[in-house]
Amino acid sequence: MELRKARTIFIPYLLILIASIVPLWMASLNVPMAQTTSQITVYKEVGSANLKAPGTESFWNNIPWTNLSLSANIPNAPTSGLTHNLSVKAAWNGTDIFILLRWNAPNPAFGAWSAAVAGIDPNASGPGLFRIIEITPGAKYQVMSNYTSYYTIVNGTKETGRLFLSYDGISEAMPNGSQIKVLGNGTILFYHSLRPIERILYDSGLFYGYYTNSTWYYPERAAMMWYMGSATPTMDGMHIGGKFPGQTFDGENFTYAGGALKQPGGAANIWMWVSGATWNNKSEDPAFKYNVWENKSMTGLPYTNNGTGFAVPLYTNNTNMYEVDCSGIWYAPVKSSGLEGSLFFIKSGATYSNGYWTLELVRPLAVPMNYSQYMPNITTGKTYDVAFAVWQGAEGETLFDKSITSSFLLLSLSSLPKPESPVLAVNPEIVDITTAGVIIAIIALAAIWISFRR
């Protein structure tokens, strides 16, 4: 009984002793304390990229991952926000900047054509050629036959009349020629969706997500955005809008084009990687399998396959999305003449292994004069606002339905090859007082233990 009582008294003193010793022990070992920061540091390294094996370059071993949280670009859509975390590393070697991305994708989309690229290649077939929208469960449809100048296609059959979709007391008229398929469980699929249609359905609460199954899905994508406006950006996001600003569609005017930057008064450069078009993997990437980028008759520009993949250089402002010095395959070019075929200006390499994509992006720090309005010159001594997005095409993320950083993050170039280990500085007076207290505690504990042992 006495021994048990001694242990009861002894344990709290032991915990106090441990709590006193641990901070001093960590200080003596210079153990870095946990730090939380949203800033992405680009470390100075010696070497070059190996885009056939991204992430395996030795200099990456010195650089820790920065883990970012992603969220849904379209709230309440089941196919938006599927990637919750993105890991980022960054380095530079004096001439180029390297961005390394890694994210979990348990069900990767291989072989899906980029819809934009499929539009210029006669070999295009299979999934990814157009988007299929799944209408909100519980919605109903009706073909109003009194609209005699309209027609609707239902389950492959052409009917005279205008299609109306309704849900939760809201009824929305669809444009002429709308096509739907009704599955056995009542699910309504809307085919050949146009950008204005997506906005109309989303605003009406009818957009549930993009439909996928084992044979119908969309490419994987990842993108990095560099803010180029003069103000401090407060949000990361793009408008769901028309094909172009001011488009009149089915009697409605769309102020914004789909893909226009939501940040007021801003503009940005985007590096967009698409598995079905820009991933240099001939067994999985249709565009490289059919040598699309070497065929000037299709692209209009003498793109050269240099043995790597690339990221599409894009520019967005508050009204529209554009391609920078490209021929207008994905979006309209920023200018109608003086194109130089810069499709491989941002090089990329990607691999998929053990449930994760690893993507490396490489771009010269400096850009040619005629790019400078649309792409940032990256230099030391300056901080950049950047943002990221990821799409899981096999799960239904495509176009505006994606996972994004909810706000912009700060990025800057460092002259260091790796992070400095922070040293925990301890006041010598505190050390003396704490040391004395530890010694007294040890003597007291020993005395208590001996007395109860007797």
Side-chain angles (χ1 to χ4, degrees):
M1 179 66 72
E2 293 295 330
L3 183 58
R4 183 179 300 171
K5 183 177 181 182
R7 287 175 178 168
T8 303
I9 297 173
F10 179 74
I11 289 173
Y13 280 96
L14 180 61
L15 293 175
I16 293 172
L17 177 63
I18 293 172
S20 302
I21 292 174
V22 168
L24 290 175
W25 174 66
M26 290 181 67
S28 66
L29 295 179
N30 290 333
V31 176
M33 304 294 282
Q35 299 181 66
T36 302
T37 177
S38 61
Q39 181 169 333
I40 299 172
T41 303
V42 187
Y43 292 100
K44 180 69 180 293
E45 297 291 349
V46 176
S48 58
N50 178 9
L51 294 178
K52 292 185 177 180
T56 62
E57 301 92 332
S58 60
F59 58 77
W60 290 124
N61 296 331
N62 300 324
I63 301 173
W65 289 105
T66 297
N67 296 311
L68 307 178
S69 296
L70 304 180
S71 57
N73 180 61
I74 303 179
N76 305 319
T79 56
S80 187
L82 302 179
T83 307
H84 303 297
N85 299 285
L86 174 68
S87 297
V88 181
K89 290 185 181 185
W92 66 294
N93 64 358
T95 59
D96 295 325
I97 184 171
F98 313 106
I99 304 294
L100 188 66
L101 307 177
R102 189 171 188 264
W103 68 94
N104 180 234
N107 184 25
F110 296 147
W113 277 91
S114 161
V117 182
I120 65 172
D121 194 317
N123 294 298
S125 62
L129 298 185
F130 61 87
R131 299 177 300 279
I132 302 174
I133 294 178
E134 184 173 340
I135 303 301
T136 300
K140 304 297 182 182
Y141 82 93
Q142 185 177 11
V143 179
M144 303 291 287
S145 59
N146 57 314
Y147 288 83
T148 56
S149 61
Y150 282 75
Y151 74 91
T152 300
I153 299 175
V154 180
N155 295 334
T157 301
K158 186 176 179 180
E159 302 180 19
T160 298
R162 187 172 190 179
L163 175 68
F164 283 77
L165 297 172
S166 59
Y167 175 74
D168 197 25
I170 297 175
S171 181
E172 191 68 50
M174 295 290 101
N176 193 23
S178 292
Q179 179 179 350
I180 62 171
K181 180 178 181 180
V182 184
L183 303 182
N185 61 1
T187 297
I188 301 173
L189 304 181
F190 193 100
Y191 278 68
H192 303 287
S193 66
L194 304 172
R195 290 185 198 168
I197 286 291
E198 293 165 339
R199 221 289 306 280
I200 291 171
L201 292 175
Y202 180 69
D203 287 351
S204 305
L206 289 161
F207 181 94
Y208 185 68
Y210 292 106
Y211 176 75
T212 63
N213 60 26
S214 60
T215 60
W216 189 262
Y217 46 86
Y218 315 97
E220 309 285 90
R221 299 190 195 189
M224 181 177 186
M225 177 186 288
W226 297 74
Y227 181 68
M228 297 185 67
S230 56
T232 300
T234 57
M235 68 177 74
D236 174 21
M238 319 295 284
H239 284 288
I240 305 174
K243 181 70 174 178
F244 52 86
Q247 179 184 10
T248 299
F249 180 84
D250 203 36
E252 182 175 350
N253 185 277
F254 290 82
T255 304
Y256 302 104
L261 188 67
K262 276 188 177 180
Q263 172 64 39
N269 174 224
I270 299 174
W271 305 356
M272 182 180 70
W273 175 84
V274 188
S275 67
T278 72
W279 178 30
N280 189 2
N281 183 315
K282 290 195 174 184
S283 63
E284 307 288 2
D285 192 321
F288 280 85
K289 182 178 181 180
Y290 291 103
N291 299 315
V292 170
W293 310 120
E294 296 177 346
N295 192 333
K296 185 177 178 180
S297 65
M298 286 192 293
T299 64
L301 290 173
Y303 297 137
T304 301
N305 180 352
N306 59 4
T308 69
F310 61 93
V312 183
L314 301 174
Y315 174 79
T316 179
N317 53 25
N318 290 142
T319 56
N320 209 346
M321 177 86 82
Y322 306 89
E323 291 178 24
V324 180
D325 212 16
C326 297
S327 61
I329 296 169
W330 284 269
Y331 298 91
V334 292
K335 52 185 180 180
S336 59
S337 61
L339 302 180
E340 297 177 6
S342 63
L343 202 55
F344 287 87
F345 185 70
I346 306 166
K347 299 178 178 63
S348 76
T351 55
Y352 180 83
S353 177
N354 298 321
Y356 282 83
W357 279 104
T358 300
L359 169 65
E360 189 166 347
L361 303 171
V362 180
R363 203 212 75 173
L365 294 169
V367 298
M369 182 64 70
N370 61 339
Y371 294 178
S372 60
Q373 181 181 348
Y374 313 107
M375 304 177 74
N377 277 298
I378 304 169
T379 64
T380 57
K382 185 176 179 180
T383 300
Y384 299 85
D385 294 288
V386 299
F388 296 89
V390 171
W391 293 255
Q392 293 198 41
E395 304 299 331
E397 287 185 315
T398 187
L399 202 63
F400 312 121
D401 204 351
K402 58 194 173 187
S403 307
I404 62 172
T405 49
S406 59
S407 60
F408 281 81
L409 305 144
L410 299 179
L411 177 146
S412 60
L413 272 61
S414 171
S415 60
L416 300 175
K418 61 181 180 179
E420 288 184 312
S421 297
V423 177
L424 180 63
V426 182
N427 189 318
E429 293 182 4
I430 296 177
V431 174
D432 293 340
I433 294 171
T434 306
T435 303
V438 170
I439 294 172
I440 293 171
I442 292 174
I443 295 173
L445 288 173
I448 293 171
W449 181 257
I450 291 171
S451 65
F452 280 103
R453 290 283 292 177
R454 292 175 179 174

